[in-house]
Amino acid sequence: MRAVRFHHYGDIDVLRVEDVEQRALRPHDVLVRMRAAGINPGEAKIRTGALHERFPASFPSGQGSDLAGTVVETGCEVTRWRVGDEVLGWSWERSSHAELVVVPDGQLVAKPEGLAWETAGALYVSGSTACAAVAAVAPAPGETVVVTAATGGVGSIAVQLVRRAGAHVIAVASPRHGDWLRARGATVVPYGEGVEDRLRRAAGPAPSGFLDFHGGDYVRLGLALGVAPARINTIDYGAAAAYGTRSDASAEGSTPETLARLAGLVAEGAVRVPVSAVHPLEEVRQAFRELEHAHPLGKIVLTS
């Protein structure tokens, strides 16, 4: 089968699509023919070695966690899934950017009828992270929650989940995606120099919660706005440790129940997952150039 590989840390040009052997199925494994698989900023950081201390790579390394596709084979003890079933789920083996993906049967859920393949394949990483982060902050009706990187894959879902909880959202994002955010009930605050003053004017009294999907100085900013550390959640693990905030992410949100519930909301139109571009597997380098340099709205997806 064809699969994405990189043989050492580096920039986008280390990515290759190679012929590789599919690993054998264990008793509870399922073989899925990939139809769509999202790409994520964390994968780019793993590829460059920026996350080596936390998520080291062994070479040659595969890539990819998001997954949607069709079951083509099952292990001898799998009872829930049959050949031909349409599923979405996740791989923890950095293996979903490939034509065929082996995953444990408990890491799949049924794809709702009518849910587009590209959307289904974009759900896991962003969706599980958004669900865990929003749950950590626990927005209540009438509260105000700041969301940074609000039009990225995670932020765009989190904005909608916070609004569904009845809270108001102040979205820190690029103005070029402002219409999309305002259509979902958010107040848009452009990022960049002066963002703290703009947030103070937009938020009025101290916000109740702060969801940081960018990192850097935003945790300090949330604290400066008066948000309690227990109601700040960040993807910046170093900042979380330094300031005593939360850092719940995909690990905390990775349950079949969470993914199935989110897939149902998306299928019925209650939550939108913007997919800004779709590329065949062989164009993985181009897909990551767009992700890393164009700051797209929502997700970019590979197909096979």
Side-chain angles (χ1 to χ4, degrees):
M1 67 171 181
R2 302 286 283 168
V4 174
R5 289 287 185 271
F6 59 99
H7 293 254
H8 56 84
Y9 290 132
D11 205 348
I12 292 167
D13 59 1
V14 304
L15 294 174
R16 306 177 184 178
V17 181
E18 303 177 340
D19 292 318
V20 301
E21 291 293 325
Q22 168 209 317
R23 78 161 173 80
L25 271 66
R26 295 184 289 258
H28 286 281
D29 282 342
V30 177
L31 179 64
V32 178
R33 181 167 296 280
M34 188 268 279
R35 294 288 300 272
I39 68 173
N40 298 283
E43 290 152 3
K45 293 179 180 179
I46 289 172
R47 185 200 71 233
T48 65
L51 296 181
H52 178 77
E53 294 301 318
R54 189 175 183 88
F55 301 115
S58 56
F59 301 112
S61 177
Q63 185 175 257
S65 299
D66 292 342
L67 170 67
T70 305
V71 174
V72 295
E73 188 179 349
T74 61
C76 61
E77 295 185 16
V78 174
T79 59
R80 179 177 180 184
W81 306 111
R82 296 183 178 182
V83 172
D85 285 347
E86 296 182 345
V87 295
L88 66 147
W90 70 92
S91 166
W92 276 335
E93 298 181 10
R94 301 179 189 173
S95 63
S96 72
H97 295 168
E99 292 175 329
L100 296 168
V101 189
V102 178
V103 292
D105 57 355
Q107 291 172 209
L108 298 170
V109 302
K111 184 179 81 68
E113 185 176 353
L115 183 63
W117 283 113
E118 291 82 0
T119 306
L123 270 183
Y124 163 65
V125 170
S126 293
S128 61
T129 303
C131 288
V134 172
V137 170
E143 291 186 330
T144 295
V145 176
V146 175
V147 180
T148 72
T151 55
V154 181
S156 58
I157 296 174
V159 164
Q160 298 172 80
L161 296 178
V162 172
R163 291 290 295 138
R164 283 182 58 81
H168 177 60
V169 173
I170 298 178
V172 180
S174 168
R176 66 192 175 102
H177 300 314
D179 288 346
W180 190 91
L181 288 166
R182 283 186 285 270
R184 277 138 196 93
T187 298
V188 180
V189 170
Y191 67 81
E193 185 176 353
V195 65
E196 181 172 347
D197 290 339
R198 291 191 292 275
L199 280 171
R200 290 187 185 280
R201 290 194 297 270
S208 301
F210 198 99
L211 292 171
D212 169 37
F213 301 119
H214 184 276
D217 204 35
Y218 275 115
V219 169
R220 184 209 60 78
L221 175 55
L223 293 168
L225 292 173
V227 183
R231 300 201 68 190
I232 296 175
N233 198 86
T234 180
I235 62 166
D236 187 332
Y237 297 108
Y243 293 108
T245 69
R246 302 193 62 162
S247 57
D248 290 11
S250 62
E252 289 76 15
S254 293
T255 68
E257 295 77 15
T258 296
L259 186 58
R261 183 168 60 251
L262 181 60
L265 290 172
V266 176
E268 68 188 35
V271 172
R272 297 288 301 276
V273 178
V275 175
S276 62
V278 178
H279 291 273
L281 187 68
E282 299 286 343
E283 294 180 5
V284 62
R285 290 184 180 181
Q286 177 61 27
F288 272 93
R289 286 189 189 97
E290 294 175 15
L291 177 71
E292 295 176 50
H293 301 299
H295 305 292
L297 172 63
K299 297 284 290 188
I300 294 176
V301 178
L302 299 173
T303 59
S304 174

